[in-house]
Amino acid sequence: ALSMAKVGNMMIISRGAGGLLGFDLEKRDIAWTNWMPGDDEGYPSGLAVDGEKVYAAVATSRERGFTGIITVNPADGVITKRSKYD
């Protein structure tokens, strides 16, 4: 794991090329996995939490590196917003 963040009963885990994973702490089970395509969009690295929202810095191994920030719904792993860095 590159980074972990707790939101409510969910532990969000950033796994780089392995995408994002949501672990339900009450059920002690994996609730969801978000396999990210990577390539030009990059992979999640560092996580930050602001109340109910989870933000992930997204990076790639290509020349430009940092590609932006995504906002993730901690309940289901859906990316609700993507802010590109130019």
Side-chain angles (χ1 to χ4, degrees):
L2 296 176
S3 184
M4 293 186 270
K6 183 179 180 295
V7 181
N9 68 320
M10 296 294 290
M11 179 67 73
I12 312 305
I13 303 168
S14 169
R15 303 180 303 153
L20 293 166
L21 183 137
F23 185 81
D24 189 314
L25 295 168
E26 290 179 2
K27 296 179 182 176
R28 296 183 181 205
D29 195 17
I30 295 171
W32 53 262
T33 301
N34 184 330
W35 298 100
M36 298 180 65
D39 302 327
D40 293 330
E41 294 182 2
Y43 297 109
S45 54
L47 297 174
V49 176
D50 179 19
E52 295 291 315
K53 295 181 181 178
V54 177
Y55 302 94
V58 184
T60 181
S61 61
R62 295 189 181 177
E63 183 180 336
R64 295 184 60 137
F66 177 70
T67 60
I69 302 285
I70 57 172
T71 305
V72 181
N73 181 342
D76 58 14
V78 171
I79 297 172
T80 57
K81 185 176 181 182
R82 186 179 300 273
S83 302
K84 291 190 174 196
Y85 174 75
D86 291 326

